[in-house]
């Protein structure tokens, strides 16, 4: 990486603004139901505290649409962070750029922590407003960006702010960029990508970019149906994007030209309706009943995909193989996850639903790197430059 990291700068005694992604799930009572994202930033925060920096934490939470909304307050995150830091005090400012934030930031001492209220209570954050960015920048001397999950957006706290104070990556960001960057720019081969999920239209950029890099491309999930339809199979009531049939054909031709093995299902699990209690059976792709729909890859396909994963050294996976939300259609995703784990490859999974699937199946621990950024990891895999990463100071 030619960008500066927290390792490359002097932070002792300085005021440091850390942009984190504490967009954590909460129940109706405001209890945090999964604190993974808070835990993931502890190495950066502990490093800064050990260097005696004065640490100001900024994040967004939910979609308050630019208005103050108590249900999206970051206060519970501040409390949880305090617990995770063994009771260390986390001061809290009830705004992000107003008089309270200014005053508390100005008074903050080395070794102290201050969390600002939700950045998105102000519409100027998402608009990358220069005035808002300047105010935020005024709170600190340096920005540490540890929010990979928002760095595909040019928002004030990751982009505009870097006009006024220098920005470096935090340790969580470093981890993301290292794993994703290594896979995309210098993969150990064989390199296998697994792309699934609902629609091919969501993943066109990823498939096109990865076709230039991988040895094998495995397709599953709803999007596989569009490829099957493009091959002339009858797909019944399966999810098919008719307008993407020509694209699917083009991608198959491109794979052949580039010498990439493109693997498609040879059998699928079909259901008589889209429901958890649907009737279901495995059939060859040439025998999908007209009134049924394909909701998972079948057992023969699983075998084939597992064989293709054997010996892989790098695996990038985005998108579940089936409708894993219904237990009857989670087997394909589960088996592929087991095969990824068994391969011993450096494995990287990105995508909100893909991660949710692995967690539901209790297989997340078998993956080398689970990206904390759904949309950001997709854009990275598309080969796009992320605005929040581009804005980091050069080495
Ligand atoms: P990610 O969030 O990991 O990028 P996507 O959002 O692209 O993944 O896709 C996830 C969704 O795709 C899941 O909700 C899953 O139910 C759905 N899906 C997977 N296979 C099928 C299928 N055969 N038919 C319809 N939907 C599917
Ligand atoms: Mg999704």
């Amino acid at each position: 990486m030619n960008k500066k990291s927290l390792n490359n700068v002097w932070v002792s005694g300085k005021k440091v603004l850390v942009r984190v992604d504490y967009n954590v799930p909460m129940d109706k009572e405001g209890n945090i139901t999964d604190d993974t994202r808070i835990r993931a930033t502890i190495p950066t925060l502990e490093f800064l505290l050990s260097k005696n920096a004065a640490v100001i934490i900024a994040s967004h939470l939910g979609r308050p649409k630019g208005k103050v909304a108590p249900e999206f307050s970051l206060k519970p995150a501040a409390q949880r962070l305090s617990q995770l830091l063994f009771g260390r005090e986390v001061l809290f400012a009830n705004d992000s750029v107003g008089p309270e934030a200014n005053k508390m930031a100005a008074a903050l001492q080395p070794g102290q922590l201050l969390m600002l209220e939700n950045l998105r209570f102000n519409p100027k954050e998402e608009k990358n407003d220069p005035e808002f960015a300047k105010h935020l920048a005024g709170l600190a001397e340096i920005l540490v960006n540890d929010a990979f999950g928002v760095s595909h957006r040019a928002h004030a706290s990751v982009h505009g702010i870097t006009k006024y104070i220098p920005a470096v990556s935090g340790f969580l960001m470093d981890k993301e960029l290292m794993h994703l960057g290594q896979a995309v720019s210098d993969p150990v081969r064989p390199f296998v990508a697994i792309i699934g999920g609902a629609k091919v239209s969501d993943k066109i950029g990823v498939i096109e970019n990865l076709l230039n890099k991988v040895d094998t491309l495995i397709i599953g999930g709803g999007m596989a149906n569009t490829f099957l339809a493009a091959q002339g199979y009858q797909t019944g009531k399966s999810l098919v994007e008719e307008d993407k049939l020509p694209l699917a054909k083009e991608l198959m031709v491109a794979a052949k030209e580039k010498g990439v093995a493109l693997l498609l299902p040879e059998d699928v699990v079909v259901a008589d309706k889209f429901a958890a209690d649907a009737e279901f059976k495995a059939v060859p792709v040439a025998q999908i009943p007209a009134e049924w729909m394909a909701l998972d890859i079948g057992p023969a396909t699983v075998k084939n995909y597992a064989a293709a994963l054997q010996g892989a050294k790098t695996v990038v996976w985005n998108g579940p193989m089936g409708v894993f939300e219904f237990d009857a259609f989670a087997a394909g995703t589960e088996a592929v996850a087991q095969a990824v784990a068994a391969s011993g490859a450096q494995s990287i999974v990105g995508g909100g639903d893909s991660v949710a699937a692995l967690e539901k199946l209790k297989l997340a621990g078998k993956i080398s790197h689970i990206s904390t950024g759904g949309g950001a990891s997709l854009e990275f895999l598309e080969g796009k430059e992320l605005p929040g990463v581009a804005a980091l100071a050069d080495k």
Side-chain angles (χ1 to χ4, degrees):
M1 271 288 287
N2 55 347
K3 295 294 186 182
K4 269 191 189 160
S5 143
L6 183 48
N7 278 321
N8 307 122
V9 287
W10 185 263
V11 290
S12 295
K14 287 200 174 165
K15 278 209 174 104
V16 180
L17 182 67
V18 188
R19 175 53 157 113
V20 296
D21 178 359
Y22 285 176
N23 188 20
V24 289
M26 288 188 192
D27 64 16
K28 285 194 190 78
E29 284 79 48
N31 303 305
I32 296 170
T33 52
D34 179 0
D35 63 4
T36 308
R37 288 180 165 175
I38 302 178
R39 287 176 188 275
T41 66
I42 299 291
T44 291
L45 298 178
E46 282 193 329
F47 176 83
L48 287 166
L49 293 171
S50 76
K51 297 286 179 202
N52 229 20
V55 181
I56 304 162
I57 299 167
S59 181
H60 70 287
L61 173 67
R63 295 177 190 274
K65 305 208 171 109
K67 294 198 186 74
V68 175
E71 68 269 31
F72 294 122
S73 172
L74 277 164
K75 268 195 199 117
Q79 282 161 7
R80 179 59 62 90
L81 176 62
S82 172
Q83 288 165 0
L84 292 172
L85 293 171
F86 305 102
R88 191 186 268 267
E89 188 177 22
V90 179
L91 301 166
F92 194 83
N94 288 299
D95 51 25
S96 52
V97 296
E100 189 169 324
N102 288 342
K103 207 171 137 208
M104 292 183 83
L108 198 69
Q109 297 302 308
Q112 282 192 313
L113 277 164
L114 165 66
M115 192 182 294
L116 307 177
E117 185 53 286
N118 196 337
L119 290 163
R120 292 191 189 167
F121 282 0
N122 194 318
K124 294 176 176 175
E125 157 67 358
E126 289 175 88
K127 291 195 177 119
N128 206 13
D129 179 86
E131 204 64 26
F132 181 84
K134 196 173 172 183
H135 275 284
L136 266 185
L139 303 177
E141 296 159 84
I142 183 165
L143 173 76
V144 173
N145 184 349
D146 227 6
F148 178 72
V150 289
S151 291
H152 60 313
R153 302 278 181 242
H155 290 171
S157 62
V158 294
H159 187 265
I161 187 172
T162 65
K163 282 215 171 64
Y164 308 102
I165 53 172
V168 301
S169 54
F171 298 141
L172 176 59
M173 176 73 94
D174 286 344
K175 213 162 96 181
E176 292 277 4
L177 296 177
M178 198 250 299
H179 282 100
L180 287 162
Q182 163 93 39
V184 169
S185 53
D186 191 18
V188 184
R189 293 184 184 279
F191 179 11
V192 182
I194 309 165
I195 306 293
K199 296 195 276 178
V200 66
S201 52
D202 293 337
K203 312 275 166 91
I204 298 169
V206 177
I207 296 175
E208 283 176 340
N209 191 40
L210 289 180
L211 272 181
N212 295 315
K213 309 190 182 278
V214 299
D215 302 294
T216 301
L217 179 62
I218 291 175
I219 304 268
M223 74 161 68
N225 301 318
T226 298
F227 284 88
L228 294 175
Q231 286 181 319
Y233 292 110
Q234 299 301 319
T235 48
K237 293 220 155 31
S238 305
L239 174 67
V240 170
E241 290 173 278
E242 295 289 342
D243 61 324
K244 292 292 177 287
L245 294 179
L247 172 88
K249 284 182 193 153
E250 278 167 37
L251 292 171
M252 289 188 279
V253 171
K256 197 166 255 167
E257 282 171 2
K258 293 172 199 290
V260 173
L262 180 90
L263 305 187
L264 291 166
E266 56 196 77
D267 63 346
V268 286
V269 177
V270 292
D272 63 343
K273 57 181 178 187
F274 190 89
D277 64 349
E279 232 186 277
F280 62 94
K281 58 186 176 190
V283 295
V285 292
Q287 293 169 28
I288 300 174
E291 296 300 314
W292 293 53
M293 61 188 80
L295 295 186
D296 196 8
I297 56 175
T301 303
V302 160
K303 248 187 174 168
N304 192 23
Y305 287 5
L309 283 161
Q310 222 172 47
K313 289 277 187 283
T314 305
V315 174
V316 165
W317 182 3
N318 169 267
M321 296 290 99
V323 182
F324 69 92
E325 295 92 337
F326 303 149
D327 290 344
F329 311 104
T333 302
E334 181 166 16
V336 166
Q338 297 283 14
V340 170
S343 74
Q346 175 72 20
S347 55
I348 297 151
V349 173
D353 292 296
S354 311
V355 176
L358 287 172
E359 270 160 12
K360 185 183 172 204
L361 298 165
K362 306 213 175 345
L363 293 169
K366 304 212 167 197
I367 303 299
S368 321
H369 179 69
I370 299 250
S371 178
T372 53
S377 67
L378 269 186
E379 292 201 15
F380 195 100
L381 294 175
E382 285 175 26
K384 286 189 187 154
E385 186 169 61
L386 311 184
V389 175
L392 298 171
D394 290 320
K395 251 186 197 156

